[in-house]
Amino acid sequence: MEKALSGIRVLGATRMLAGPYAEILLADMGAEVLHIELPGFGDEHRHSYPQINGVGTCFLSNNRNKKSITLDLRTPEGQQIFRDLAKISDIVVENNRPGTMAKWNIGYEQLKEINPGIIMTSISGYGQTGPYRDRTGLDYVAQSIGGLMGMTGMPDGPPMRTGNAIADSLAGMFAAYGTLAALHYKQKTGLGQYVDCALVDSVAAILENLVPNYDLLGLKEKRVGNRIAWVAPYNTYTARDGYVVIGVTSNNLWDKLCRAMGREELIEHPNFATPSARVLNVDDVDEAVQAWVSHKTVEEVVLILAEAGVPSAKVHGVDTMVEDPQIKAREMFVETEYPGLGKFRVPGIVPKLSLTPGSVDSPPPTLGQHNDEIYRGLLGFSDEKMKALAEAGII
């Protein structure tokens, strides 16, 4: 079945997480992604921990559906090969330090001279402009300066990062979004363009009403743990065998929760009858909900509240999450394999397209697995040239 991005070629000079994640999103929808790696070493995530048989699991998770070619972009010969590939590609994705690609003579201004329709997407910590552009970027730093850490954590504790590298993933998503917008414009006009995506920008873009609250109401963020400052009850509660989240965002849901708990007297109680009253008395609200939850299993709570129409869910660990019937029904983890490692699961496809659905068709590539296919088949390199390039360490 043809996919939405079939026929689109992506040249990926990326490493670690943010850039490779942008590549995944394009590859899953059918783009041919050439993931360029350093000869003899590869993407750093091949070597990051944890590992199995010498292969980093982060690489295994973030590089399915791609083709791996080795190429040393630091050399003039490698840069010329990159330009040759850029001539016959639609998109370049890179996440090196700002200015690196231009220093290597393969920046956007240089590439558009040989391919005016090329789209080049750059992902960096701080972006290509601004006083911090040359600083070293990192997910942790982006969560901090972008404002996310300041609003995350318990009230009496320090700022906390999210459990995963959310800034890297967000940057990959925004980069793919910008790339597809540029691709749509190119299909209308024939013109390529440059897409500048930063980790910090990506974090700042998802802060919801944090800044309007500050501008219009003078409110600064407060760390409230699993609560939401303007809603109650909205928290994590301890059942007999685990944790469950419950969220009540309206009087209608409060009525349903009280009836489900057998506490109808709380519905019209003056301390709980309105959203603002429940927020002012949030500790008492949480105490009432916790008292009900504490005598039940997580499954009992979730089933009772599902029947009542109140949002709730089990707090999964990875072992139970991958077996959740909803997760399985949506095929959110699918099997793939890697030489010597056997089968394992990687994240499935988001979103689901009705006519041209994405899929996980090929496992993460071994280092340089597709050199022959691309260099001999696509660029027409001879055996002699392949041998010379390999001996010189260029591929």
Side-chain angles (χ1 to χ4, degrees):
M1 179 184 296
E2 184 176 16
K3 297 184 182 181
L5 297 180
S6 294
I8 299 298
R9 178 175 294 124
V10 179
L11 196 53
T14 70
R15 43 191 281 277
M16 303 297 279
L17 181 53
Y21 190 65
E23 293 176 352
I24 279 181
L25 299 177
L26 302 174
D28 286 350
M29 293 301 171
E32 179 188 32
V33 174
L34 310 184
H35 185 59
I36 296 174
E37 303 188 62
L38 189 66
F41 184 79
D43 187 323
E44 289 99 319
H45 265 176
R46 286 189 183 271
H47 310 281
S48 63
Y49 287 90
Q51 294 183 352
I52 178 169
N53 292 351
V55 182
T57 55
C58 197
F59 180 86
L60 297 174
S61 179
N62 290 291
N63 287 283
R64 81 281 180 112
N65 284 345
K66 302 180 189 179
K67 297 176 179 179
S68 170
I69 60 174
T70 53
L71 186 62
D72 192 341
L73 297 178
R74 300 168 300 182
T75 66
E77 297 90 341
Q79 294 159 13
Q80 183 55 52
I81 293 172
F82 188 92
R83 285 190 288 269
D84 291 340
L85 289 169
K87 288 179 184 178
I88 53 175
S89 297
D90 302 281
I91 297 163
V92 170
V93 180
E94 63 94 14
N95 65 332
N96 298 283
R97 294 278 291 274
T100 299
M101 297 293 279
K103 181 181 68 176
W104 289 341
N105 303 304
I106 48 176
Y108 176 65
E109 295 300 324
Q110 292 133 327
L111 293 183
K112 75 175 184 179
E113 292 181 3
I114 59 175
N115 182 352
I118 197 73
I119 295 166
M120 186 169 189
T121 298
S122 292
I123 307 170
S124 60
Y126 294 95
Q128 304 298 310
T129 60
Y132 301 164
R133 72 180 292 271
D134 294 321
R135 293 185 182 180
T136 302
L138 189 68
D139 174 89
Y140 206 173
V141 172
Q143 289 194 40
S144 173
I145 195 171
L148 186 59
M149 277 185 63
M151 59 191 298
T152 305
M154 300 304 291
D156 56 350
M160 298 289 290
R161 64 178 290 274
T162 62
N164 68 336
I166 191 68
D168 279 324
S169 297
L170 285 170
M173 294 170 66
F174 277 116
Y177 161 64
T179 299
L180 293 177
L183 183 63
H184 179 67
Y185 185 75
K186 173 186 173 179
Q187 291 171 341
K188 292 193 299 182
T189 66
L191 298 174
Q193 60 182 299
Y194 187 65
V195 180
D196 174 5
C197 186
L199 271 68
V200 172
D201 296 358
S202 300
V203 170
I206 63 156
L207 298 181
E208 300 174 355
N209 60 342
L210 182 71
V211 175
N213 284 346
Y214 176 68
D215 284 350
L216 301 175
L217 302 171
L219 298 176
K220 296 185 67 175
E221 74 282 352
K222 293 182 179 180
R223 289 186 292 280
V224 293
N226 291 320
R227 288 173 169 172
I228 287 184
W230 320 112
V231 178
Y234 200 105
N235 211 339
T236 303
Y237 303 93
T238 306
R240 285 165 44 195
D241 59 346
Y243 296 99
V244 60
V245 298
I246 300 173
V248 170
T249 56
S250 68
N251 276 345
N252 181 46
L253 288 178
W254 174 245
D255 291 357
K256 291 179 178 180
L257 175 62
C258 291
R259 296 182 193 284
M261 295 192 303
R263 299 292 305 274
E264 288 88 346
E265 76 278 7
L266 299 180
I267 295 174
E268 299 298 335
H269 191 291
N271 287 354
F272 311 126
T274 65
S276 58
R278 291 193 293 275
V279 169
L280 288 173
N281 296 281
V282 63
D283 289 338
D284 293 335
V285 171
D286 276 345
E287 182 179 349
V289 176
Q290 178 59 61
W292 176 73
V293 170
S294 63
H295 298 291
K296 302 183 182 302
T297 66
V298 169
E299 183 176 10
E300 287 172 339
V301 172
V302 170
L303 290 179
I304 290 171
L305 295 187
E307 180 68 23
V310 177
S312 68
K314 175 186 176 75
V315 179
H316 277 307
V318 62
D319 54 339
T320 56
M321 182 269 293
V322 294
E323 300 302 328
D324 186 285
Q326 180 67 22
I327 297 291
K328 295 176 78 170
R330 296 288 290 176
E331 298 182 328
M332 277 315 306
F333 294 91
V334 297
E335 277 195 344
T336 188
E337 56 187 336
Y338 189 87
L341 303 183
K343 294 183 178 180
F344 57 94
R345 287 171 289 190
V346 295
I349 307 301
V350 180
K352 321 293 186 186
L353 275 63
S354 63
L355 294 181
T356 56
S359 59
V360 178
D361 299 319
S362 60
T366 57
L367 181 60
Q369 178 179 337
H370 300 91
N371 278 0
D372 279 356
E373 175 186 338
I374 301 305
Y375 292 137
R376 282 193 172 94
L378 193 59
L379 295 183
F381 287 1
S382 65
D383 291 346
E384 293 77 12
K385 185 167 186 175
M386 291 287 288
K387 180 180 178 182
L389 289 170
E391 289 177 348
I394 296 167
I395 65 171

